[in-house]
Amino acid sequence: MDLTRLEINRRTALLTSAAIAANVINPMRAFAQETPKKGGVFNVHYGAEQRQLNPSIQASTGVYIISGKIQESLVDLDADGKPVGVLAESWESSADGKTITFKLRKGVTWHDGKPFTSADVAFTAMNMWKKILNYGSTLQLFLTAVDTPDPQTAIFRYERPMPLSLLLRALPDLGYISAKHLYESGDIRQNPTNLAPVGTGPFKFVKYERGQYIIADRNPDYWRSGAPYLDRIVWKVITDRSAAAAQLEAGELQYCPFSSLTISDMARLGKDKRFIVTTKGNEGNARTNTIEFNFRRKELSDIRVRRAIAHAINVPFFIENFLGDFAKLGTGPIPSTSTDFYPGADTPQYPYDKAKAAALLDEAGFKAGPGGARFSLKLLPAPWGEDISLWSTFIQQSLKDVGITVEIVRNDGGGFLKQVYDEHAFDLATGWHQYRNDPAVSTTVWYRSGQPKGAPWTNQWGWEDKQVDATIDNALTELDATKRKAIYAEFVKEVNTELPVWMPIEQIFVTVITAKARNHSNTPRWGSSSWHDLWLSA
Amino acid sequence: MRILSLAGRRLAASIPTLFLILIGVFLLLQFAPGDTVDALMAQMGGGDAATARELRKFYGLDVSVPVRLGNYLLHLVQLDLGFSSIYGKPVATVILERLPPTILLMTASLSFAFFFGLVFGIIAARGVNKWPDTLISTLGLIFYATPSFWFGLMAIVVFSIYLQWLPAGGFEDIGQAQSGLWRMIDIARHLILPTLTLGLIFLAIYLRIMRASMLEVLNLDYVRTARAKGLDETRVVMGHVLRNALLPMVTLIGLQAGTMLGGSVVVESVFSLPGLGRLAYESVVQRDLNTLLGIVFVSALLVITVNFVVDLLYARLDPRISAEG
């Protein structure tokens, strides 16, 4: 890989202010004075079709990328990453944190003409978020009722205190509202509306041709006057990454979201003036690469071995040579993009030190045998991305240098989850931890004991730590935002010390978009957002 | 009538095979770790154990393997292929939607490969070891050795990105809804590159077989007799050699109809065509057993049909092979 060339691209891709160079920021300034133009078709790459499209019952970017334009959430994040009302206009929490009241927007109608009211909110929260929605069912575990004194007020009642800041961080993803009148009869999962979503958003669903495309058109009655600008959005189902890059270049696509192209194509297109390649607009979709340890292996239950493994891997070298501009050194489970919770790098870290790794292994009693070998481990990489595959090979080679033989066992998605999180048939596993803006939503389940067997992306390591459990539980009911941040800093310290999972790489999804797009990537979860202000210049 | 009874017997003979294949695939998929709920969890990016339990019940995965197999076969004899868990629709509907692109692509590339393989094979055989033969054989070897995904991507780069003559992917233009003749032309334009990509590899095989078979037949006694009668070369080739040389080609079609169904996964992915190959791939990854078994069933039927037609063609080409035999 040609690193000197990648260097140029690093600047276009990285968010850090020092690195933002002329390529990205200047064109944006230049078009700030342009008058928004109505019209145009926006073609979006859709890599993996989902089984259904309702974001109230499935929290994943594969759903938001489509239905985020059709259905709306109570709140979204603004350009600075602060919660901003969408279907909710204002909110307040009672002093004990057990009652949270949302005032809803007036004059909003569903795409079928019926008015949007608090009844829709209550129905969605109680029947979808609490019962079906992944992550939502955990978040809303202690939600007991949603009262609707009038059509513009929804009062959420909790059995235990719910920190308002946690709820507001979670709701942009886990707060999508569905229409009660379309869902109240029959099984929600089998409702045909799930494949022909009806919402309040700027675009109206038109057609879904499985395996080919989805179309949504401008909603002329949208509540934000003048919006949206685009006439139509088309999502094209293209499973082959290289083919998607080719279609982008042929002008048949305008946007490839969430790192949907190969690393080499993204690096190449970053040098092409027709496209913008950036991580901006995806800060809300940060992820970390993991090394997950199975404590059922006696070697790995020894903390010195886990630390030795962390020390044995030269992460900066890997990032520089394989991931280039699209990743940075991680410091634990809370990524640096999470301004509200990032505790800094002042927690236990494991910089590359081969001698120290060897010494730790010796100390643990795993002396090098003939040929330098100490013991062997089975590593299961998740199949989600090119980076994981490269990373697993890198782990294998790094550990070989300190005498640990690693056998890589590859699986497809279902197989990986089953073997790691249900059958525990792994020694080491590696994949992504997807951070969802608040550790309580996405992260603490990786460490809290008592996770039921088979729940993916949870603590299935055979590891339990009473102190960590207590810290996690404290944060869950702490209403004061500053104190919560401090508790999570403590949490990171504890888990970085114990190291049941090591998260040494941070990544943000990469956007590849036509240079003609305006008002793009302007919020931390832009790919999932409603695109009501997106327009295309001539 | 004779043909009908023959068809009936052939079909009856293939039913046990079909069942064995289905049971085999069913059991094979049980060995793959994870089920459709694991796959769904992977897609959703996580969920809790209660959700998983609920979903397993919803997809009917809470009963034992033999019971599920029994249920499936029971439904199958009633010609019910079951319900697809990824699509939430009956499997028969899902497959029927995906069948036209696959059949179009398959027929187009088989015809392309057969026709040009035939022509180039004849040309090569008639000028054996001279420059047309060398040229054709070299090209054939290159086509045969090129991986189809690479060929497809290069075709897109040249014809769609640089020359902008043809669309880079998809089955038809989504921008404007067309009907009748215009839609046909539009679909044809979208299928040119995939057909060439899929057809070129097969073309290489056909032309090699045709060349070899022509060379063999050209040396037979009756051809010498024909020449001795004073027939000109064209009539010798067309009237006497071609028909006999065609037999191995026809055999090959029968064999390759099945391969083409499988081989099109790559081409369908590269050109984003909504065909059976991609559907099968997705069903495996998503552990959608019903859909996968449905595809196996339909593909088996297709292969049986094609082979039946091939048998009939044999009899037509060479009267010594009777359909009864």
Side-chain angles (χ1 to χ4, degrees):
Chain A
M1 193 176 276
D2 187 342
L3 283 172
T4 48
R5 286 168 151 226
L6 269 176
E7 198 58 30
I8 304 166
N9 198 47
R10 157 177 250 130
R11 307 213 148 87
T12 67
L14 271 187
L15 179 70
T16 43
S17 53
I20 293 182
N23 317 35
V24 163
I25 256 317
N26 287 348
M28 286 195 177
R29 290 217 177 104
F31 62 64
Q33 289 111 33
E34 290 176 60
T35 330
K37 190 171 77 71
K38 280 216 183 247
V41 177
F42 193 60
N43 294 289
V44 181
H45 175 206
Y46 193 38
E49 277 182 284
Q50 308 288 312
R51 296 187 195 182
Q52 62 89 36
L53 298 175
N54 184 352
S56 312
I57 61 172
Q58 183 178 332
S60 60
T61 48
V63 170
Y64 302 142
I65 187 72
I66 291 159
S67 309
K69 331 301 167 236
I70 298 164
Q71 285 178 248
E72 288 179 303
S73 190
L74 286 180
V75 294
D76 202 349
L77 300 177
D78 68 6
D80 302 319
K82 300 280 171 241
V84 57
V86 181
L87 288 179
E89 278 183 319
S90 64
W91 43 81
E92 58 178 354
S93 172
S94 65
D96 66 357
K98 289 186 176 173
T99 309
I100 293 173
T101 307
F102 286 96
K103 283 283 175 199
L104 306 177
R105 197 170 294 282
K106 278 187 191 138
V108 176
T109 54
W110 294 101
H111 292 156
D112 61 6
K114 298 242 169 39
F116 157 75
T117 68
S118 56
D120 296 311
V121 176
F123 179 84
T124 307
M126 294 308 291
N127 297 291
M128 297 181 176
W129 301 351
K130 192 174 162 62
K131 287 187 185 153
I132 306 178
L133 180 65
N134 52 322
Y135 292 106
S137 50
T138 316
L139 180 76
Q140 307 291 0
L141 189 62
F142 298 109
L143 177 70
T144 51
V146 179
D147 295 346
T148 53
D150 67 68
Q152 257 65 55
T153 309
I155 305 171
F156 284 62
R157 299 200 182 279
Y158 289 92
E159 206 176 302
R160 294 193 193 174
M162 165 62 88
L164 183 62
S165 66
L166 162 59
L167 190 64
L168 291 176
R169 288 260 148 238
L171 283 184
D173 273 356
L174 305 178
Y176 281 90
I177 307 294
S178 290
K180 182 186 178 190
H181 64 272
L182 295 171
Y183 279 96
E184 57 192 341
S185 65
D187 185 348
I188 289 173
R189 280 205 182 85
Q190 280 182 300
N191 195 307
T193 314
N194 291 337
L195 283 167
V198 173
T200 55
F203 295 92
K204 272 181 162 174
F205 173 85
V206 176
K207 194 175 184 196
Y208 186 0
E209 203 63 60
R210 288 303 278 256
Q212 295 192 64
Y213 56 83
I214 301 169
I215 298 176
D217 280 351
R218 208 173 107 77
N219 172 11
D221 307 315
Y222 187 50
W223 56 268
R224 281 185 233 249
S225 55
Y229 295 108
L230 298 172
D231 283 338
R232 167 172 280 196
I233 303 173
V234 179
W235 293 265
K236 293 186 179 170
V237 179
I238 304 163
T239 46
D240 187 90
R241 288 165 177 252
S242 305
Q247 293 210 16
L248 186 80
E249 284 193 81
E252 292 174 26
L253 287 176
Q254 277 78 47
Y255 172 45
C256 294
F258 304 130
S259 305
S260 65
L261 303 180
T262 60
I263 295 176
S264 57
D265 272 333
M266 293 190 295
R268 182 173 62 85
L269 293 168
K271 283 172 268 171
D272 191 325
K273 283 200 168 56
R274 293 172 297 162
F275 306 105
I276 289 171
V277 178
T278 178
T279 52
K280 196 175 176 316
N282 292 323
E283 298 87 344
N285 290 105
R287 63 184 196 270
T288 58
N289 287 71
T290 63
I291 304 178
E292 300 155 35
F293 298 101
N294 191 346
F295 283 63
R296 295 165 193 88
R297 270 295 295 256
K298 71 170 188 334
E299 293 91 342
L300 296 176
S301 66
D302 189 317
I303 190 162
R304 289 166 295 195
V305 175
R306 300 198 297 279
R307 286 177 182 162
I309 289 176
H311 276 304
I313 303 167
N314 190 346
V315 182
F317 178 88
F318 173 74
I319 293 176
E320 198 179 336
N321 290 287
F322 292 96
L323 305 180
D325 320 320
F326 306 120
K328 62 188 260 193
L329 189 66
T331 54
I334 300 181
S336 61
T337 47
S338 176
T339 43
D340 288 357
F341 295 103
Y342 182 58
D346 187 23
T347 53
Q349 298 297 321
Y350 301 90
Y352 177 59
D353 188 341
K354 225 169 84 179
K356 193 170 180 186
L360 279 166
L361 289 169
D362 283 342
E363 197 190 315
F366 301 105
K367 300 261 191 259
R374 296 172 198 269
F375 55 88
S376 64
L377 294 172
K378 201 161 75 174
L379 168 65
L380 273 69
W384 325 133
E386 215 182 335
D387 57 315
I388 301 176
S389 176
L390 294 167
W391 175 231
S392 61
T393 314
F394 191 76
I395 294 174
Q396 183 184 42
Q397 289 170 5
S398 305
L399 294 189
K400 191 164 177 262
D401 285 351
V402 293
I404 303 173
T405 317
V406 173
E407 182 203 348
I408 296 179
V409 183
R410 296 185 195 280
N411 278 290
D412 60 8
F416 171 78
L417 293 187
K418 181 85 179 169
Q419 299 217 305
V420 175
Y421 301 99
D422 194 15
E423 292 173 356
H424 305 144
F426 70 106
D427 298 324
L428 299 173
T430 181
W432 292 336
H433 152 244
Q434 308 229 29
Y435 182 74
R436 296 190 182 230
N437 301 314
D438 190 303
V441 179
S442 56
T443 307
T444 52
V445 287
W446 285 74
Y447 299 93
R448 179 75 172 82
S449 70
Q451 304 293 333
K453 186 167 165 280
W457 296 292
T458 62
N459 175 358
Q460 301 290 340
W461 332 124
W463 170 78
E464 189 177 338
D465 188 300
K466 292 272 174 276
Q467 178 60 42
V468 171
D469 286 357
T471 312
I472 289 171
D473 294 349
N474 282 343
L476 212 53
T477 47
E478 175 56 62
L479 298 180
D480 184 276
T482 326
K483 282 187 193 152
R484 275 191 84 219
K485 183 174 180 175
I487 297 176
Y488 280 124
E490 184 55 37
F491 159 77
V492 174
K493 261 187 198 133
E494 286 166 7
V495 299
N496 276 7
T497 308
E498 288 301 316
L499 219 61
V501 184
W502 179 222
M503 303 193 182
I505 304 174
E506 258 179 57
Q507 296 194 66
I508 304 178
F509 282 118
V510 180
T511 291
V512 183
I513 192 166
T514 169
K516 287 180 181 164
R518 301 292 182 261
N519 284 341
H520 70 85
S521 311
N522 52 9
T523 70
R525 57 187 293 280
W526 185 76
S528 301
S529 74
S530 74
W531 299 353
H532 63 89
D533 58 348
L534 172 67
W535 60 281
L536 295 169
S537 90
Chain B
M1 242 23 270
R2 223 184 56 185
I3 285 183
L4 274 186
S5 83
L6 178 72
R9 268 189 291 134
R10 277 289 157 83
L11 216 59
S14 48
I15 281 175
T17 324
L18 206 55
F19 267 87
L20 279 179
I21 293 174
L22 288 176
I23 294 171
V25 172
F26 185 95
L27 293 176
L28 208 62
L29 233 86
Q30 302 303 322
F31 287 117
D35 57 20
T36 192
V37 174
D38 291 310
L40 178 61
M41 285 290 188
Q43 203 182 51
M44 295 198 301
D48 47 52
T51 314
R53 206 165 41 241
E54 187 76 12
L55 281 167
R56 288 221 159 77
K57 218 167 112 190
F58 176 72
Y59 288 125
L61 293 169
D62 48 351
V63 293
S64 70
V65 174
V67 175
R68 269 187 281 150
L69 179 60
N71 281 342
Y72 182 79
L73 293 178
L74 197 71
H75 281 113
L76 192 67
V77 290
Q78 299 160 28
L79 291 179
D80 174 10
L81 289 175
F83 215 71
S84 156
S85 46
I86 0 178
Y87 290 90
K89 285 196 274 197
V91 169
T93 319
V94 174
I95 292 179
L96 224 58
E97 283 170 4
R98 296 292 188 101
L99 211 50
T102 302
I103 291 189
L104 258 180
L105 181 63
M106 202 173 76
T107 330
S109 38
L110 260 181
S111 320
F112 164 80
F114 187 84
F115 179 73
F116 285 97
L118 186 88
V119 172
F120 287 135
I122 294 174
I123 295 174
R126 291 203 46 194
V128 67
N129 292 336
K130 293 191 200 115
W131 71 266
D133 179 33
T134 318
L135 182 72
I136 288 171
S137 297
T138 315
L139 275 181
L141 212 62
I142 291 173
F143 292 149
Y144 189 62
T146 315
S148 56
F149 72 90
W150 187 83
F151 210 95
L153 286 172
M154 287 307 116
I156 293 177
V157 168
V158 174
F159 292 104
S160 306
I161 298 178
Y162 286 109
L163 298 173
Q164 308 210 336
W165 288 351
L166 292 166
F171 185 57
E172 56 187 313
D173 201 348
I174 312 160
Q176 53 265 50
Q178 286 151 326
S179 56
L181 186 65
W182 291 114
R183 179 158 183 246
M184 263 172 63
I185 293 174
D186 181 47
I187 292 177
R189 265 169 50 84
H190 279 84
L191 282 181
I192 291 177
L193 290 182
T195 303
L196 286 180
T197 308
L198 189 59
L200 277 179
I201 289 177
F202 291 99
L203 168 74
I205 302 172
Y206 281 115
L207 87 84
R208 301 287 305 174
I209 297 285
M210 191 62 200
R211 177 176 173 275
S213 152
M214 281 286 289
L215 287 177
E216 195 186 315
V217 178
L218 275 171
N219 287 330
L220 292 180
D221 289 347
Y222 80 89
V223 178
R224 197 173 304 132
T225 314
R227 286 208 178 107
K229 272 199 307 195
L231 290 180
D232 62 63
E233 194 61 15
T234 315
R235 288 192 59 188
V236 171
V237 170
M238 291 316 202
H240 295 266
V241 182
L242 191 59
R243 216 164 151 152
N244 281 301
L246 265 181
L247 276 178
M249 292 280 277
V250 174
T251 314
L252 210 60
I253 286 196
L255 288 174
Q256 282 186 337
T259 324
M260 280 225 173
L261 277 176
S264 53
V265 180
V266 173
V267 173
E268 282 169 17
S269 300
V270 169
F271 292 98
S272 347
L273 291 171
L276 267 191
R278 248 175 71 202
L279 185 68
Y281 176 76
E282 243 168 82
S283 332
V284 173
V285 172
Q286 298 271 321
R287 303 283 192 276
D288 186 351
L289 198 54
N290 281 354
T291 308
L292 188 66
L293 290 171
I295 295 169
V296 171
F297 184 75
V298 171
S299 307
L301 281 185
L302 269 179
V303 171
I304 290 170
T305 317
V306 171
N307 277 294
F308 178 66
V309 174
V310 167
D311 281 350
L312 293 182
L313 273 178
Y314 275 159
R316 180 108 187 86
L317 283 172
D318 187 346
R320 283 173 304 175
I321 308 171
S322 120
E324 293 287 352

